[in-house]
Amino acid sequence: MNGHELMTTSPRQSKPPATDANHFVLTFENNRYASELFGQFDQNLKLLEQRLQIDARPRGNSVAITGDVVATNQARRALDYLYGRLQSGGSVDLSDVEGAIRMAVAADDQLLLPTMERKAKLTMAQISTRKKTIAARTPMQDAYIRALERSELVFGVGPAGTGKTYLAVAYAAQLLERGAVDRIVLSRPAVEAGERLGFLPGDMKEKVDPYLRPLYDALYDMMPGDKVERAITAGVIEIAPLAFMRGRTLANAAVILDEAQNTTSMQMKMFLTRLGENGRMIVTGDPSQIDLPRGMKSGLVEALQILRGVEGVSVVRFKDADVVRHPMVARIVRAYESQTAVQDESEHMDR
């Protein structure tokens, strides 16, 4: 381990410890890394305490950890992973700590992921460009990145805040930077709740840019701004509404369709058949957020049914537990899903 265990004893208390209690001290060799690992005002350790219900007391470059055996071992693996991240030149913030905790807990829940060794070190799938390295923060993100690496067509479906679009754009940027593809094509259907493009000012680019903003944001996160601008100008990165895809064959390209729940059946078929030689396609969307006219079937929902079991196609389904934004977002998603379930049950009983 990067953090060396100095001792293993029973918890410091006057009465005999519970049989499932554990206490040990981890010491990290590099003082600066240890300081970054613990966080400003020890905020990272406090998050560990809160999430795992343990006690983590820092002293210099060491931390004494006390609590339930399972939880303290999860804390050990999370800290070891994060310290290794610092040693590799990365950084650690609260979201990274949250991700490490999720993965450590998942390992003990026996989620069979190829990137984790139960009871051993955590190894999370990563996406790296010259500007930034992103590590999976949930087991499903880990599975998603793995799917992107092995499949030509990947569907990432689930609620907002799970990272499905961000990771897709990051992976496309990685492929472009490494020369695995010649260009990136990012697209969304120009359908939004309660709005129509014709009423927006400007030319077509100015009309659709607001809808494509999340894709721009992810690109600028992964690549220097000047390179993104030059790539867009040169057509190496193309950002266009779905209607512009008709009649094209996209070879040697990483192609992403975002907000795919708002495609029609014909639009989805048209898009999927654009895949050319040495191409990679990523389709993301949230089937619970369909903005199509009532009675019109979502192309995403239909494609997930039709392509089930097709070779070379991977489907990764995110849940509310995979939300990596503010914790409140996960609670909001769960509340809406519960309400939808109640409404569906009520409608079923009325029939």
Side-chain angles (χ1 to χ4, degrees):
M1 289 183 61
N2 292 313
H4 301 295
E5 185 176 328
L6 294 186
M7 59 181 177
T8 303
T9 65
S10 60
R12 294 170 292 178
Q13 48 189 343
S14 56
K15 61 182 180 179
T19 56
D20 62 348
N22 195 26
H23 171 74
F24 55 82
V25 177
L26 293 178
T27 297
F28 301 92
E29 296 175 355
N30 188 298
N31 290 338
R32 180 170 65 84
Y33 291 161
S35 178
E36 293 181 41
L37 176 64
F38 299 163
Q40 187 175 22
F41 305 116
D42 300 323
Q43 62 179 1
N44 295 342
L45 295 181
K46 291 175 182 176
L47 182 59
L48 274 174
E49 290 182 318
Q50 179 185 351
R51 292 288 187 266
L52 298 177
Q53 299 299 301
I54 62 168
D55 183 59
R57 300 185 184 183
R59 185 173 183 180
N61 61 338
S62 298
V63 56
I65 298 177
T66 305
D68 173 82
V69 170
V70 172
T72 54
N73 283 325
Q74 290 168 352
R76 182 210 312 266
R77 292 198 301 276
L79 288 171
D80 184 57
Y81 164 76
L82 294 168
Y83 185 75
R85 181 181 173 94
L86 290 167
Q87 287 180 310
S88 301
S91 59
V92 170
D93 58 25
L94 284 173
S95 59
D96 297 316
V97 179
E98 186 77 59
I101 294 170
R102 289 181 189 228
M103 298 295 280
V105 171
D108 279 326
D109 287 341
Q110 296 183 325
L111 294 180
L112 300 179
L113 299 176
T115 53
M116 290 194 300
E117 302 172 29
R118 182 168 165 79
K119 302 296 184 183
K121 289 186 177 181
L122 296 179
T123 305
M124 304 181 195
Q126 295 184 340
I127 297 173
S128 297
T129 64
R130 291 190 184 95
K131 183 177 179 182
K132 191 170 185 177
T133 295
I134 302 170
R137 292 178 178 172
T138 70
M140 205 53 65
Q141 283 193 356
D142 184 277
Y144 187 45
I145 295 174
R146 287 287 175 175
L148 294 174
E149 292 172 346
R150 70 173 181 266
S151 300
E152 294 174 306
L153 173 58
V154 177
F155 288 85
V157 297
T162 52
K164 55 188 184 295
T165 299
Y166 186 85
L167 291 175
V169 176
Y171 186 71
Q174 174 183 275
L175 291 178
L176 180 65
E177 196 172 82
R178 295 181 178 179
V181 297
D182 296 333
R183 56 182 171 150
I184 297 173
V185 180
L186 308 175
S187 184
R188 295 179 92 180
V191 177
E192 296 295 333
E195 297 177 271
R196 297 184 182 276
L197 286 174
F199 293 108
L200 296 175
D203 58 21
M204 178 56 72
K205 182 179 185 302
E206 292 171 328
K207 287 176 184 287
V208 301
D209 269 2
Y211 297 94
L212 302 171
R213 195 72 250 171
L215 304 179
Y216 282 107
D217 291 342
L219 272 177
Y220 282 110
D221 235 16
M222 298 304 299
M223 301 171 64
D226 58 335
K227 288 189 177 181
V228 174
E229 296 293 344
R230 288 199 300 269
I232 292 175
T233 301
V236 174
I237 297 177
E238 180 181 351
I239 304 178
L242 180 59
F244 287 17
M245 296 295 105
R246 189 173 298 279
R248 304 178 61 185
T249 299
L250 302 171
N252 300 306
V255 190
I256 298 172
L257 175 61
D258 189 34
E259 297 291 341
Q261 74 275 6
N262 289 328
T263 60
T264 64
S265 296
M266 290 301 296
Q267 285 176 328
M268 178 59 78
K269 181 179 179 182
M270 177 274 292
F271 175 80
L272 294 176
T273 54
R274 300 308 94 196
L275 182 63
E277 187 174 350
N278 193 39
R280 307 295 285 271
M281 264 188 182
I282 310 169
V283 179
T284 66
D286 180 359
S288 71
Q289 297 275 346
I290 297 173
D291 296 318
L292 293 170
R294 183 178 294 274
M296 184 176 291
K297 189 170 186 179
S298 166
L300 173 62
V301 174
E302 182 181 67
L304 292 172
Q305 296 169 346
I306 293 174
L307 299 179
R308 185 183 295 120
V310 173
E311 184 179 354
V313 178
S314 291
V315 178
V316 179
R317 298 181 184 273
F318 294 89
K319 304 295 183 183
D320 60 90
D322 300 302
V323 172
V324 292
R325 291 180 185 167
H326 192 286
M328 178 62 74
V329 177
R331 294 195 289 271
I332 291 171
V333 170
R334 282 194 293 270
Y336 271 92
E337 288 182 346
S338 297
Q339 180 63 23
T340 300
V342 170
Q343 290 175 347
D344 290 344
E345 184 178 350
S346 176
E347 291 174 3
H348 180 74
M349 294 177 64
D350 290 341
R351 290 173 185 171

